[in-house]
Amino acid sequence: MAYHLFEVYGIELEYMLVQRSNLKVNPIVDKLLTKKNGSLTSDVENGKIEWSNELVSHVVEMKTNGPTDDIDHLAALFAENVQEMNQLLEDFDTCLLPTAAHPFMDPDTETRLWQHHYSKIYALYNKIFDCKGHGWSNVQSMHINLPFFDDAEFEKLHAAVRILLPIIPGLAASSPVLDGEFTGYKDARMHYYKSNQKEIPHMTGKVIPEQVFNKADYYKTIFEPITEAIKPFDTEKILDHHFLNSRGAISRFDRNAIEIRVIDIQENPSADIAIAAFIIEALKLLVSEELISLNDQKAWHEDELFQIFDEVIKNAENTLITDKKYLAIFDLDRDCDVRAIWKKIYELVGGKLTEDQQNHIEFLIQNGSLSTRILKALRSDFSQGNIKKVYTRLAECLQENRMFRP
């Protein structure tokens, strides 16, 4: 069934499984799903939320069980599922850990690919790309799925999504530490993401999707080059172009939805859902053309937008934006940081959020991204003992569904 713009939503959240005693990744998602279901399966329906495996065996996904028109109650639903997972994991001395990247995982020695359902697909990915790397095996994010009914609605939604993508890491960055040190990027996940498929560049492109605004052009510009590039590697033809497309927002014409993938996972589901609701309201504003016409949105080339994005993944909300044309979209007439852009957007759409969502977004605008707060809490001490101390607190924030304060 095809839905109209903003009629329903799909949200996906990913978390790491770590040993409670030492916070090392624990590749036992199969045991978690088996304990919940009674037998091993790759997907477990838990009422309105579904649990499933990912590429690697220490990452679990929870997502809305089909499209939902009620985003406001998802925070409580996801929080309940977090607590249930943690309870099931107690027998294995294991818990869920938030943030978009494990701070000291060694992907070369600790990566374990999922060995059960779909393992043939994962094995082929590994053969092509060598998935023992931070961009593959050490990434956790939130995905937002937004529907479109036809080409006319796709045009509006895709144009708006492209405009907003570059500044989303300024709100959601949560991956500053890899290999036990600050990477120089507050969104290290997206830094690795943009190049981890360098063997076949067509798959990720410039992260920001190309200027294509209908199905036919999308197939010609994006899907067909991907299909052609993968042919020498996928001799059995088991990989689907919808899954191979790895841009920061991918268009799923098989279910008429755009999936946004540049959002780092936060310290608790309430923060994730607040960010999702805020992004959705910002997209509604862009689609309405109150700020900028559709034609002007479509005129932005992906290279221009990538240039902004590539700076934002370094400094998140503190990134200085000097592109006058981009600032003009939000009626800002002088250079300012990304925090100021999100503050301006919040002034325009914040009243449409619930009180709880408003509280979370105001906290982020005032206190900074989770990456900023993690770095502040670490106080330049990147010893493993101190990292464990800070990330143990983050695991507690996830369990208790509360914000992280340095």
Side-chain angles (χ1 to χ4, degrees), residues 36-296:
K36 170 64 176 172
N37 189 58
S39 60
L40 180 59
T41 177
S42 58
D43 300 286
V44 177
E45 291 190 9
N46 195 31
K48 295 180 179 180
I49 304 297
E50 182 176 314
W51 305 0
S52 61
N53 69 285
E54 282 294 313
L55 169 70
V56 289
S57 295
H58 72 271
V59 175
V60 67
E61 177 185 83
M62 57 177 76
K63 58 193 174 188
T64 50
N65 191 1
T68 178
D69 60 0
D70 182 10
I71 197 169
D72 296 340
H73 292 94
L74 287 181
L77 272 175
F78 279 122
E80 289 168 10
N81 279 263
V82 163
Q83 291 174 353
E84 183 178 356
M85 281 191 183
N86 273 335
Q87 189 173 15
L88 292 171
L89 289 167
E90 281 181 3
D91 288 348
F92 307 105
D93 185 37
T94 297
C95 66
L96 300 179
L97 185 68
T99 78
H102 193 284
F104 54 82
M105 174 191 178
D106 180 354
D108 289 334
T109 60
E110 296 182 80
T111 298
R112 298 288 182 273
L113 295 182
W114 181 254
Q115 296 297 316
H116 310 287
H117 308 82
Y118 307 115
S119 60
K120 191 174 182 179
I121 293 173
Y122 296 146
L124 181 55
Y125 260 88
N126 190 44
K127 182 180 177 182
I128 300 170
F129 301 108
D130 183 12
C131 297
K132 288 183 178 179
H134 286 300
W136 285 102
S137 62
N138 190 17
V139 285
Q140 291 74 229
S141 60
M142 170 172 68
H143 294 177
I144 304 175
N145 292 269
L146 300 170
F148 57 87
F149 189 78
D150 52 18
D151 264 1
E153 289 193 355
F154 172 74
E155 176 186 30
K156 294 175 184 178
L157 184 60
H158 201 228
V161 167
R162 293 176 73 253
I163 293 293
L164 202 62
L165 283 179
I167 60 171
I168 288 176
L171 190 67
S174 72
S175 48
V177 181
L178 291 176
D179 301 317
E181 60 185 18
F182 176 44
T183 59
Y185 288 83
K186 288 188 176 178
D187 200 330
R189 179 183 75 92
M190 290 310 306
H191 173 59
Y192 278 87
Y193 185 99
K194 69 185 182 184
S195 59
N196 70 345
Q197 294 177 338
K198 57 187 180 296
E199 294 84 357
I200 306 178
H202 283 300
M203 288 175 63
T204 306
K206 286 291 184 71
V207 181
I208 311 298
E210 291 83 341
Q211 291 167 287
V212 286
F213 303 102
N214 61 62
K215 183 177 180 178
D217 287 348
Y218 201 98
Y219 270 77
K220 183 178 179 181
T221 305
I222 295 176
F223 283 151
E224 289 176 13
I226 287 174
T227 302
E228 197 61 34
I230 202 72
K231 273 183 181 177
F233 305 93
D234 184 20
T235 54
E236 295 183 46
K237 298 181 180 179
I238 63 173
L239 300 177
D240 180 86
H241 53 247
H242 283 107
F243 295 100
L244 291 166
N245 183 10
S246 300
R247 282 151 183 75
I250 63 170
S251 299
R252 297 289 303 269
F253 292 98
D254 56 334
R255 62 187 186 205
N256 276 32
I258 294 177
E259 182 177 298
I260 301 173
R261 311 175 96 183
V262 300
I263 315 167
D264 279 9
I265 199 81
Q266 302 301 296
E267 68 267 48
N268 65 66
S270 289
D272 291 304
I273 298 306
I275 287 173
F278 188 27
I279 288 172
I280 288 166
E281 291 302 331
L283 290 172
K284 286 180 182 178
L285 184 65
L286 287 166
V287 166
S288 75
E289 300 185 64
E290 289 178 38
L291 296 181
I292 175 176
S293 71
L294 175 58
N295 284 337
D296 285 346

